[in-house]
Each structure stands twice: as C-alpha cells, then as structure tokens.
Amino acid sequence: MTFHDIYAVADTRPRCYFSFEDEEDQYFEHGFIHLYGIPDNLSESDVENIYNGGSDKSVYIGEIIGTLILGNQMSEDGEDFLMLCDDMSADLSYVASSFIYEDLIDVNIGVLADIYYIYELEMEKGYDDNELKQEILEKLPYILFRLYHVKPQYLAYYPLPLDKSDADALIPKHSVSVKLDPKITANGVPADNANILLNDDELDTLVEGNAPYPVSAKNTELWKFYESCRFEEIGNTRMLYKEIE
C-alpha cells in the first residue's frame, strides 16, 4: 500500500501536578508515538477529514517507543545529567554515560543536549519495510518537534545482541591451532616469540576494550539498517547515535 502521508500521535500526560518536592521525571518524556498512514486511494473529502482530526480511514502502521531526555533544561537548572538519567533507569544511565564517554556532551562545563532514545521502532505486519522505516526515522526529529515542541540534537538507539541461547551466534570463526611457546615474561605477558590461541570473542576484547558484547554477537541486519539511516556507533559502546543537523 502507498500512502498519501503519515501522521503521528503521542501518549501525553493528561494532568500536570505541582509538587513541593523536586520531580526528576520532569526532564524526561516517555511514551509511545503511534504511527498512522493515510492511504493514497482515499477521496479528497476523506483525506481532508483525517487532516481535520478524523482517523476512521487511516491505517495503523506502527509505533516508536522512546524517551526524550531534556538535557538542555537540565543544564539550565544546574542538574546532574548522569545522576538524573541513572535515577530513571539503567537504559538511560547507559545512554548518558555513552554520550559522556565520547565527549559528545561535556557535563563538566554543563554542555548538554536533548537526546531522543529509541527503545524500539515496531511496525505492524505488512508494513515492516526498511524504506518506510527509514523515512520515519528521517522525519522523527520533525515529529518530535511537532508533538513535544523540542527538536533533539541527537537520536540514539542500542541494538541488542543476538540471543546468546542461539548456539550459532557466538561460535568462533577464526580459531587457529598454533604452537604455544612456553616462554612467558614475569608480568604474565607472552614473550615476543610466544603464540596464543584466540577465538573471535577474545580477539574482540583485545581490539575493542570493554565493549558490552563482541562483534560476533551483533545483529548484522539491524546494524546495517541503522547505519543506512546515518547512525554510527559511539566509540565501542554499541550505542548508535545520529546528530540532527
């Protein structure tokens, strides 16, 4: 099915409560963004009805689950970016530490940013099409601005590793039988002429430091999709991000 247009609807808070205590969640907008398509074959009057608030002829195509982190307002209020994210969830704590790790934001001088963290982009059956999802991710900053009146500086997404219960997922691919020279230095580091048997995971660890999971556990198809949308990894954190121009 081709669409005349796509529109988004966000879950919003129905009430705003004023408290005598500080509320950390005021710096975070959580929720679902529901995505609808306007079929190309509708009459002018049906399309006009949808633009005027109707939805009976529109098609539900998917949803984005995410959190908007209002880093700029935290900076204005002198709040601790990492601590607030950590208080909210382990996921957001890792988002914050990843951005700090690569100096994309500098908490020491209060240079923060608004970040929209995508937990998942889920499409309905029949609409799980990479071209359509790519268009949605391209328009996501505009969608966020229209729904929340904030255009974030960054989008972020953490692709989960392949299921470790899948025996094929982590099978070493480059294990090589070599002769091990017993000559080892006093500090435990092999001497120049010593050879070691390393599997893929051990090679990953040596090359990538403290990456949360090895290259062999990457969901390659998912990574390729987000990279095609101009996301890139923050260091070796496995956290993907895209700077909004």
Side-chain angles (χ1 to χ4, degrees), residues 207-240:
V207 172
E208 301 186 57
N210 296 317
Y213 60 84
V215 169
S216 50
K218 282 185 176 182
N219 183 332
T220 307
E221 186 178 344
L222 188 60
W223 274 74
K224 283 183 177 177
F225 168 70
Y226 274 89
E227 286 171 343
S228 74
C229 298
R230 295 182 290 125
F231 282 72
E232 56 186 289
E233 187 178 0
I234 303 177
N236 296 315
T237 65
R238 301 295 183 253
M239 181 68 66
L240 298 178

Short mmCIF file of all heavy atoms in Angstrom, two decimals, residues 207-240:
data_model
loop_
_atom_site.label_atom_id
_atom_site.label_comp_id
_atom_site.label_asym_id
_atom_site.label_seq_id
_atom_site.Cartn_x
_atom_site.Cartn_y
_atom_site.Cartn_z
N VAL A 207 40.79 -6.02 20.89
CA VAL A 207 40.70 -4.90 19.96
C VAL A 207 39.81 -3.79 20.50
O VAL A 207 40.09 -2.61 20.36
CB VAL A 207 40.16 -5.39 18.59
CG1 VAL A 207 39.88 -4.23 17.67
CG2 VAL A 207 41.18 -6.33 17.95
N GLU A 208 38.71 -4.16 21.14
CA GLU A 208 37.67 -3.19 21.45
C GLU A 208 37.58 -2.78 22.91
O GLU A 208 36.69 -2.04 23.30
CB GLU A 208 36.32 -3.74 21.00
CG GLU A 208 36.29 -4.04 19.52
CD GLU A 208 34.91 -4.46 19.08
OE1 GLU A 208 33.98 -3.68 19.30
OE2 GLU A 208 34.78 -5.55 18.54
N GLY A 209 38.46 -3.27 23.75
CA GLY A 209 38.41 -2.86 25.15
C GLY A 209 37.19 -3.42 25.83
O GLY A 209 36.96 -4.62 25.81
N ASN A 210 36.38 -2.55 26.43
CA ASN A 210 35.26 -3.01 27.25
C ASN A 210 33.91 -2.92 26.53
O ASN A 210 32.91 -2.50 27.13
CB ASN A 210 35.21 -2.20 28.54
CG ASN A 210 36.44 -2.43 29.39
OD1 ASN A 210 36.89 -3.55 29.53
ND2 ASN A 210 36.99 -1.37 29.95
N ALA A 211 33.85 -3.29 25.28
CA ALA A 211 32.58 -3.30 24.55
C ALA A 211 31.62 -4.25 25.26
O ALA A 211 32.03 -5.32 25.73
CB ALA A 211 32.80 -3.75 23.11
N PRO A 212 30.33 -3.88 25.39
CA PRO A 212 29.39 -4.71 26.14
C PRO A 212 29.11 -6.07 25.52
O PRO A 212 28.68 -6.98 26.20
CB PRO A 212 28.12 -3.86 26.19
CG PRO A 212 28.25 -2.88 25.09
CD PRO A 212 29.71 -2.62 24.94
N TYR A 213 29.32 -6.19 24.21
CA TYR A 213 29.23 -7.52 23.58
C TYR A 213 30.11 -7.51 22.33
O TYR A 213 30.38 -6.46 21.75
CB TYR A 213 27.79 -7.92 23.27
CG TYR A 213 27.01 -7.03 22.33
CD1 TYR A 213 27.12 -7.15 20.94
CD2 TYR A 213 26.12 -6.07 22.83
CE1 TYR A 213 26.38 -6.35 20.09
CE2 TYR A 213 25.38 -5.27 21.98
CZ TYR A 213 25.51 -5.42 20.61
OH TYR A 213 24.77 -4.62 19.76
N PRO A 214 30.59 -8.69 21.93
CA PRO A 214 31.54 -8.77 20.82
C PRO A 214 30.90 -8.57 19.46
O PRO A 214 29.68 -8.66 19.31
CB PRO A 214 32.12 -10.18 20.95
CG PRO A 214 31.02 -10.96 21.59
CD PRO A 214 30.34 -10.01 22.54
N VAL A 215 31.74 -8.34 18.46
CA VAL A 215 31.27 -8.17 17.09
C VAL A 215 30.46 -9.38 16.65
O VAL A 215 29.45 -9.25 15.95
CB VAL A 215 32.47 -7.96 16.14
CG1 VAL A 215 32.04 -8.05 14.69
CG2 VAL A 215 33.12 -6.60 16.40
N SER A 216 30.88 -10.57 17.07
CA SER A 216 30.21 -11.79 16.65
C SER A 216 28.77 -11.89 17.17
O SER A 216 28.00 -12.71 16.70
CB SER A 216 31.02 -13.01 17.09
OG SER A 216 31.35 -12.91 18.46
N ALA A 217 28.42 -11.06 18.18
CA ALA A 217 27.05 -11.09 18.72
C ALA A 217 26.17 -10.00 18.12
O ALA A 217 25.01 -9.86 18.49
CB ALA A 217 27.09 -10.94 20.24
N LYS A 218 26.72 -9.22 17.18
CA LYS A 218 25.93 -8.16 16.56
C LYS A 218 24.81 -8.73 15.69
O LYS A 218 25.01 -9.72 14.99
CB LYS A 218 26.81 -7.27 15.67
CG LYS A 218 27.65 -6.26 16.40
CD LYS A 218 28.37 -5.36 15.39
CE LYS A 218 29.15 -4.25 16.04
NZ LYS A 218 29.81 -3.38 15.04
N ASN A 219 23.67 -8.09 15.75
CA ASN A 219 22.59 -8.38 14.82
C ASN A 219 22.91 -7.58 13.55
O ASN A 219 22.55 -6.41 13.41
CB ASN A 219 21.24 -7.94 15.42
CG ASN A 219 20.07 -8.29 14.53
OD1 ASN A 219 20.20 -8.37 13.30
ND2 ASN A 219 18.91 -8.48 15.13
N THR A 220 23.60 -8.24 12.63
CA THR A 220 24.16 -7.55 11.46
C THR A 220 23.11 -6.83 10.63
O THR A 220 23.31 -5.69 10.20
CB THR A 220 24.91 -8.55 10.57
OG1 THR A 220 25.86 -9.26 11.36
CG2 THR A 220 25.66 -7.83 9.45
N GLU A 221 21.98 -7.48 10.43
CA GLU A 221 20.92 -6.87 9.61
C GLU A 221 20.41 -5.58 10.25
O GLU A 221 20.20 -4.57 9.58
CB GLU A 221 19.78 -7.87 9.43
CG GLU A 221 18.70 -7.39 8.49
CD GLU A 221 17.60 -8.43 8.28
OE1 GLU A 221 17.82 -9.61 8.62
OE2 GLU A 221 16.53 -8.05 7.78
N LEU A 222 20.22 -5.61 11.58
CA LEU A 222 19.73 -4.44 12.31
C LEU A 222 20.76 -3.31 12.26
O LEU A 222 20.42 -2.14 12.06
CB LEU A 222 19.42 -4.83 13.75
CG LEU A 222 18.71 -3.79 14.62
CD1 LEU A 222 17.36 -3.41 14.02
CD2 LEU A 222 18.53 -4.32 16.04
N TRP A 223 22.03 -3.66 12.46
CA TRP A 223 23.09 -2.65 12.42
C TRP A 223 23.16 -1.99 11.04
O TRP A 223 23.29 -0.78 10.92
CB TRP A 223 24.44 -3.28 12.76
CG TRP A 223 24.71 -3.34 14.23
CD1 TRP A 223 24.14 -4.18 15.14
CD2 TRP A 223 25.60 -2.50 14.97
NE1 TRP A 223 24.63 -3.92 16.39
CE2 TRP A 223 25.52 -2.90 16.33
CE3 TRP A 223 26.46 -1.46 14.62
CZ2 TRP A 223 26.26 -2.28 17.33
CZ3 TRP A 223 27.21 -0.85 15.62
CH2 TRP A 223 27.10 -1.26 16.96
N LYS A 224 23.08 -2.80 10.00
CA LYS A 224 23.15 -2.26 8.64
C LYS A 224 22.00 -1.30 8.37
O LYS A 224 22.19 -0.27 7.71
CB LYS A 224 23.15 -3.40 7.61
CG LYS A 224 24.48 -4.11 7.49
CD LYS A 224 24.44 -5.17 6.41
CE LYS A 224 25.80 -5.84 6.24
NZ LYS A 224 25.75 -6.94 5.24
N PHE A 225 20.82 -1.63 8.89
CA PHE A 225 19.67 -0.76 8.67
C PHE A 225 19.91 0.60 9.32
O PHE A 225 19.73 1.65 8.68
CB PHE A 225 18.39 -1.38 9.22
CG PHE A 225 17.25 -0.40 9.27
CD1 PHE A 225 16.66 0.07 8.11
CD2 PHE A 225 16.79 0.10 10.49
CE1 PHE A 225 15.64 1.00 8.15
CE2 PHE A 225 15.77 1.03 10.54
CZ PHE A 225 15.19 1.48 9.36
N TYR A 226 20.31 0.62 10.58
CA TYR A 226 20.51 1.90 11.27
C TYR A 226 21.69 2.68 10.68
O TYR A 226 21.64 3.92 10.59
CB TYR A 226 20.67 1.69 12.77
CG TYR A 226 19.31 1.65 13.47
CD1 TYR A 226 18.62 0.45 13.62
CD2 TYR A 226 18.70 2.82 13.93
CE1 TYR A 226 17.36 0.42 14.21
CE2 TYR A 226 17.45 2.79 14.52
CZ TYR A 226 16.78 1.60 14.66
OH TYR A 226 15.54 1.58 15.24
N GLU A 227 22.71 1.97 10.25
CA GLU A 227 23.83 2.66 9.60
C GLU A 227 23.39 3.26 8.27
O GLU A 227 23.88 4.32 7.88
CB GLU A 227 24.99 1.68 9.41
CG GLU A 227 25.71 1.37 10.72
CD GLU A 227 26.72 0.24 10.61
OE1 GLU A 227 26.66 -0.52 9.62
OE2 GLU A 227 27.55 0.12 11.52
N SER A 228 22.45 2.60 7.58
CA SER A 228 21.92 3.17 6.33
C SER A 228 21.12 4.44 6.61
O SER A 228 20.92 5.27 5.72
CB SER A 228 21.05 2.15 5.60
OG SER A 228 19.79 1.98 6.25
N CYS A 229 20.66 4.61 7.87
CA CYS A 229 19.94 5.81 8.28
C CYS A 229 20.90 6.84 8.89
O CYS A 229 20.46 7.78 9.57
CB CYS A 229 18.84 5.45 9.29
SG CYS A 229 17.57 4.36 8.63
N ARG A 230 22.19 6.64 8.68
CA ARG A 230 23.26 7.56 9.11
C ARG A 230 23.46 7.58 10.64
O ARG A 230 23.86 8.57 11.21
CB ARG A 230 23.04 8.97 8.56
CG ARG A 230 23.13 9.02 7.03
CD ARG A 230 22.98 10.39 6.46
NE ARG A 230 21.63 10.87 6.59
CZ ARG A 230 21.31 12.01 7.17
NH1 ARG A 230 22.24 12.78 7.71
NH2 ARG A 230 20.04 12.40 7.25
N PHE A 231 23.16 6.46 11.28
CA PHE A 231 23.54 6.29 12.68
C PHE A 231 24.95 5.72 12.71
O PHE A 231 25.35 4.98 11.81
CB PHE A 231 22.60 5.30 13.40
CG PHE A 231 21.28 5.88 13.80
CD1 PHE A 231 20.30 6.17 12.84
CD2 PHE A 231 20.98 6.11 15.14
CE1 PHE A 231 19.06 6.68 13.22
CE2 PHE A 231 19.75 6.63 15.52
CZ PHE A 231 18.80 6.91 14.57
N GLU A 232 25.72 6.06 13.74
CA GLU A 232 27.05 5.49 13.92
C GLU A 232 27.28 5.18 15.38
O GLU A 232 26.59 5.70 16.26
CB GLU A 232 28.13 6.43 13.39
CG GLU A 232 28.11 7.82 13.99
CD GLU A 232 29.12 8.74 13.32
OE1 GLU A 232 30.33 8.52 13.55
OE2 GLU A 232 28.70 9.64 12.58
N GLU A 233 28.25 4.30 15.63
CA GLU A 233 28.50 3.86 17.00
C GLU A 233 29.29 4.91 17.78
O GLU A 233 30.18 5.57 17.25
CB GLU A 233 29.26 2.53 16.99
CG GLU A 233 29.42 1.91 18.36
CD GLU A 233 30.13 0.57 18.33
OE1 GLU A 233 30.50 0.11 17.23
OE2 GLU A 233 30.33 -0.03 19.42
N ILE A 234 28.96 5.03 19.05
CA ILE A 234 29.72 5.90 19.95
C ILE A 234 30.87 5.08 20.50
O ILE A 234 30.67 4.21 21.36
CB ILE A 234 28.85 6.41 21.12
CG1 ILE A 234 27.63 7.16 20.61
CG2 ILE A 234 29.67 7.30 22.05
CD1 ILE A 234 26.68 7.63 21.71
N GLY A 235 32.07 5.31 19.99
CA GLY A 235 33.23 4.54 20.45
C GLY A 235 32.99 3.06 20.27
O GLY A 235 32.62 2.60 19.19
N ASN A 236 33.18 2.29 21.33
CA ASN A 236 32.90 0.86 21.32
C ASN A 236 31.76 0.52 22.27
O ASN A 236 31.71 -0.58 22.83
CB ASN A 236 34.15 0.07 21.73
CG ASN A 236 35.27 0.26 20.74
OD1 ASN A 236 35.06 0.19 19.53
ND2 ASN A 236 36.48 0.49 21.22
N THR A 237 30.86 1.45 22.46
CA THR A 237 29.79 1.27 23.44
C THR A 237 28.63 0.44 22.91
O THR A 237 27.77 0.04 23.68
CB THR A 237 29.24 2.63 23.88
OG1 THR A 237 28.62 3.27 22.75
CG2 THR A 237 30.33 3.53 24.44
N ARG A 238 28.57 0.22 21.60
CA ARG A 238 27.44 -0.40 20.90
C ARG A 238 26.21 0.50 20.89
O ARG A 238 25.16 0.09 20.40
CB ARG A 238 27.09 -1.78 21.49
CG ARG A 238 28.24 -2.78 21.44
CD ARG A 238 28.63 -3.13 20.02
NE ARG A 238 29.68 -4.14 19.98
CZ ARG A 238 30.94 -3.90 19.66
NH1 ARG A 238 31.31 -2.66 19.34
NH2 ARG A 238 31.82 -4.85 19.64
N MET A 239 26.34 1.69 21.44
CA MET A 239 25.25 2.67 21.37
C MET A 239 25.36 3.41 20.04
O MET A 239 26.42 3.96 19.71
CB MET A 239 25.36 3.67 22.52
CG MET A 239 24.25 4.73 22.56
SD MET A 239 22.63 4.07 22.94
CE MET A 239 22.90 3.51 24.65
N LEU A 240 24.30 3.40 19.26
CA LEU A 240 24.28 4.10 17.98
C LEU A 240 23.65 5.49 18.18
O LEU A 240 22.75 5.66 19.00
CB LEU A 240 23.47 3.33 16.95
CG LEU A 240 23.99 1.94 16.60
CD1 LEU A 240 23.06 1.26 15.60
CD2 LEU A 240 25.40 1.99 16.04
#
